[in-house]
Structure formats: C-alpha cells, structure tokens
Short mmCIF file of all heavy atoms in Angstrom, two decimals:
data_model
loop_
_atom_site.label_atom_id
_atom_site.label_comp_id
_atom_site.label_asym_id
_atom_site.label_seq_id
_atom_site.Cartn_x
_atom_site.Cartn_y
_atom_site.Cartn_z
N LEU A 27 -84.22 -13.97 -81.90
CA LEU A 27 -83.06 -14.82 -81.70
C LEU A 27 -82.28 -14.88 -83.01
O LEU A 27 -82.85 -14.66 -84.09
CB LEU A 27 -83.51 -16.23 -81.29
CG LEU A 27 -84.24 -16.33 -79.95
CD1 LEU A 27 -84.88 -17.70 -79.78
CD2 LEU A 27 -83.30 -16.01 -78.81
N PRO A 28 -81.00 -15.19 -82.96
CA PRO A 28 -80.18 -15.13 -84.16
C PRO A 28 -80.54 -16.19 -85.23
O PRO A 28 -80.37 -15.97 -86.40
CB PRO A 28 -78.77 -15.34 -83.68
CG PRO A 28 -78.89 -15.98 -82.33
CD PRO A 28 -80.22 -15.49 -81.79
N ASP A 29 -81.10 -17.32 -84.81
CA ASP A 29 -81.35 -18.41 -85.78
C ASP A 29 -82.79 -18.72 -85.99
O ASP A 29 -83.18 -19.24 -87.02
CB ASP A 29 -80.60 -19.67 -85.32
CG ASP A 29 -81.07 -20.15 -83.96
OD1 ASP A 29 -81.79 -19.43 -83.26
OD2 ASP A 29 -80.72 -21.28 -83.59
N LEU A 30 -83.62 -18.45 -85.01
CA LEU A 30 -85.03 -18.84 -85.05
C LEU A 30 -85.81 -17.78 -84.31
O LEU A 30 -85.47 -17.41 -83.20
CB LEU A 30 -85.22 -20.19 -84.39
CG LEU A 30 -86.60 -20.76 -84.24
CD1 LEU A 30 -87.18 -21.09 -85.63
CD2 LEU A 30 -86.59 -22.03 -83.41
N ASP A 31 -86.86 -17.28 -84.91
CA ASP A 31 -87.67 -16.27 -84.29
C ASP A 31 -88.22 -16.80 -82.96
O ASP A 31 -88.76 -17.92 -82.88
CB ASP A 31 -88.82 -15.93 -85.23
CG ASP A 31 -89.69 -14.82 -84.70
OD1 ASP A 31 -90.66 -15.15 -83.97
OD2 ASP A 31 -89.40 -13.65 -84.99
N GLY A 32 -88.06 -16.03 -81.91
CA GLY A 32 -88.50 -16.46 -80.58
C GLY A 32 -89.99 -16.72 -80.47
O GLY A 32 -90.43 -17.59 -79.74
N LEU A 33 -90.76 -15.95 -81.25
CA LEU A 33 -92.21 -16.15 -81.22
C LEU A 33 -92.58 -17.48 -81.91
O LEU A 33 -93.52 -18.13 -81.46
CB LEU A 33 -92.92 -14.95 -81.90
CG LEU A 33 -92.72 -13.62 -81.18
CD1 LEU A 33 -93.42 -12.50 -81.93
CD2 LEU A 33 -93.21 -13.70 -79.74
N LYS A 34 -91.85 -17.84 -82.93
CA LYS A 34 -92.10 -19.15 -83.58
C LYS A 34 -91.73 -20.28 -82.60
O LYS A 34 -92.43 -21.30 -82.54
CB LYS A 34 -91.31 -19.27 -84.87
CG LYS A 34 -91.88 -18.42 -85.98
CD LYS A 34 -91.11 -18.57 -87.25
CE LYS A 34 -91.65 -17.66 -88.32
NZ LYS A 34 -90.84 -17.66 -89.53
N LEU A 35 -90.64 -20.10 -81.90
CA LEU A 35 -90.24 -21.08 -80.89
C LEU A 35 -91.34 -21.23 -79.81
O LEU A 35 -91.71 -22.35 -79.43
CB LEU A 35 -88.94 -20.68 -80.23
CG LEU A 35 -88.38 -21.58 -79.15
CD1 LEU A 35 -88.10 -22.97 -79.65
CD2 LEU A 35 -87.16 -20.96 -78.51
N LEU A 36 -91.88 -20.11 -79.39
CA LEU A 36 -92.94 -20.14 -78.40
C LEU A 36 -94.20 -20.83 -78.95
O LEU A 36 -94.83 -21.62 -78.25
CB LEU A 36 -93.28 -18.71 -77.95
CG LEU A 36 -94.37 -18.56 -76.92
CD1 LEU A 36 -94.03 -19.30 -75.65
CD2 LEU A 36 -94.63 -17.11 -76.64
N LYS A 37 -94.56 -20.55 -80.19
CA LYS A 37 -95.73 -21.19 -80.80
C LYS A 37 -95.54 -22.70 -80.84
O LYS A 37 -96.49 -23.45 -80.57
CB LYS A 37 -95.97 -20.63 -82.19
CG LYS A 37 -96.58 -19.27 -82.18
CD LYS A 37 -96.81 -18.76 -83.61
CE LYS A 37 -97.33 -17.36 -83.58
NZ LYS A 37 -97.52 -16.81 -84.94
N ALA A 38 -94.35 -23.16 -81.19
CA ALA A 38 -94.08 -24.59 -81.23
C ALA A 38 -94.19 -25.20 -79.83
O ALA A 38 -94.76 -26.28 -79.66
CB ALA A 38 -92.68 -24.86 -81.80
N ALA A 39 -93.69 -24.48 -78.85
CA ALA A 39 -93.77 -24.97 -77.46
C ALA A 39 -95.21 -25.06 -77.03
O ALA A 39 -95.62 -26.00 -76.34
CB ALA A 39 -92.99 -24.07 -76.53
N ARG A 40 -96.03 -24.10 -77.43
CA ARG A 40 -97.46 -24.10 -77.06
C ARG A 40 -98.21 -25.23 -77.69
O ARG A 40 -99.18 -25.72 -77.13
CB ARG A 40 -98.10 -22.77 -77.46
CG ARG A 40 -97.61 -21.59 -76.69
CD ARG A 40 -98.12 -21.59 -75.30
NE ARG A 40 -97.62 -20.44 -74.57
CZ ARG A 40 -98.23 -19.85 -73.62
NH1 ARG A 40 -99.39 -20.28 -73.21
NH2 ARG A 40 -97.70 -18.84 -73.03
N VAL A 41 -97.81 -25.68 -78.87
CA VAL A 41 -98.47 -26.82 -79.51
C VAL A 41 -98.19 -28.08 -78.70
O VAL A 41 -99.09 -28.89 -78.45
CB VAL A 41 -97.98 -26.98 -80.97
CG1 VAL A 41 -98.42 -28.31 -81.54
CG2 VAL A 41 -98.49 -25.84 -81.84
N LEU A 42 -96.94 -28.24 -78.27
CA LEU A 42 -96.55 -29.43 -77.49
C LEU A 42 -97.07 -29.39 -76.06
O LEU A 42 -97.41 -30.40 -75.48
CB LEU A 42 -95.03 -29.57 -77.49
CG LEU A 42 -94.39 -29.79 -78.87
CD1 LEU A 42 -92.88 -29.71 -78.75
CD2 LEU A 42 -94.81 -31.12 -79.44
N HIS A 43 -97.11 -28.18 -75.48
CA HIS A 43 -97.50 -27.99 -74.09
C HIS A 43 -98.42 -26.77 -73.98
O HIS A 43 -97.96 -25.68 -73.63
CB HIS A 43 -96.27 -27.82 -73.18
CG HIS A 43 -95.32 -28.95 -73.31
ND1 HIS A 43 -95.53 -30.15 -72.65
CD2 HIS A 43 -94.18 -29.12 -74.01
CE1 HIS A 43 -94.55 -30.99 -72.95
NE2 HIS A 43 -93.73 -30.37 -73.78
N PRO A 44 -99.71 -26.94 -74.29
CA PRO A 44 -100.66 -25.82 -74.38
C PRO A 44 -100.72 -24.90 -73.17
O PRO A 44 -100.91 -23.71 -73.30
CB PRO A 44 -101.99 -26.48 -74.65
CG PRO A 44 -101.67 -27.82 -75.17
CD PRO A 44 -100.38 -28.21 -74.59
N GLY A 45 -100.58 -25.42 -71.98
CA GLY A 45 -100.73 -24.58 -70.78
C GLY A 45 -99.43 -24.03 -70.24
O GLY A 45 -99.40 -23.47 -69.14
N LEU A 46 -98.36 -24.15 -70.98
CA LEU A 46 -97.04 -23.74 -70.51
C LEU A 46 -96.98 -22.24 -70.24
O LEU A 46 -97.21 -21.45 -71.15
CB LEU A 46 -95.97 -24.12 -71.53
CG LEU A 46 -94.55 -23.76 -71.14
CD1 LEU A 46 -94.04 -24.76 -70.09
CD2 LEU A 46 -93.64 -23.80 -72.35
N PRO A 47 -96.66 -21.82 -69.01
CA PRO A 47 -96.46 -20.40 -68.75
C PRO A 47 -95.22 -19.91 -69.48
O PRO A 47 -94.20 -20.58 -69.48
CB PRO A 47 -96.28 -20.33 -67.23
CG PRO A 47 -96.77 -21.62 -66.71
CD PRO A 47 -96.57 -22.63 -67.80
N ALA A 48 -95.33 -18.75 -70.11
CA ALA A 48 -94.21 -18.22 -70.88
C ALA A 48 -94.17 -16.71 -70.79
O ALA A 48 -95.21 -16.05 -70.69
CB ALA A 48 -94.29 -18.67 -72.33
N VAL A 49 -92.95 -16.16 -70.87
CA VAL A 49 -92.75 -14.73 -70.90
C VAL A 49 -91.86 -14.47 -72.11
O VAL A 49 -90.85 -15.15 -72.34
CB VAL A 49 -92.01 -14.24 -69.61
CG1 VAL A 49 -91.67 -12.78 -69.73
CG2 VAL A 49 -92.85 -14.52 -68.39
N VAL A 50 -92.26 -13.48 -72.92
CA VAL A 50 -91.47 -13.06 -74.07
C VAL A 50 -90.81 -11.73 -73.69
O VAL A 50 -91.46 -10.81 -73.22
CB VAL A 50 -92.34 -12.85 -75.32
CG1 VAL A 50 -91.51 -12.37 -76.48
CG2 VAL A 50 -93.04 -14.16 -75.68
N ILE A 51 -89.49 -11.67 -73.90
CA ILE A 51 -88.75 -10.46 -73.60
C ILE A 51 -88.15 -9.89 -74.88
O ILE A 51 -87.92 -10.62 -75.85
CB ILE A 51 -87.64 -10.71 -72.55
CG1 ILE A 51 -86.65 -11.78 -73.03
CG2 ILE A 51 -88.24 -11.09 -71.20
CD1 ILE A 51 -85.47 -12.00 -72.07
#
C-alpha cells in the first residue's frame, strides 16, 4: 500500500481480531 505495508496492517488486525479471515493480494 502507498502509506502502510499491507502485511503490517494485517498483523495489527490479527492482534485485535485473532480469528479474522483474511486474503492478501
């Protein structure tokens, strides 16, 4: 992503919501 690495965003989301289904493209 232009401002924040998408994988870092996903890691943050996983901390808040551990079971969240996610797809990285």
Side-chain angles (χ1 to χ4, degrees):
L27 297 169
D29 61 348
L30 177 67
D31 183 271
L33 297 178
K34 287 181 183 174
L35 178 63
L36 180 60
K37 285 180 185 178
R40 293 286 180 151
V41 169
L42 297 172
H43 303 281
L46 181 75
V49 174
V50 177
I51 57 175

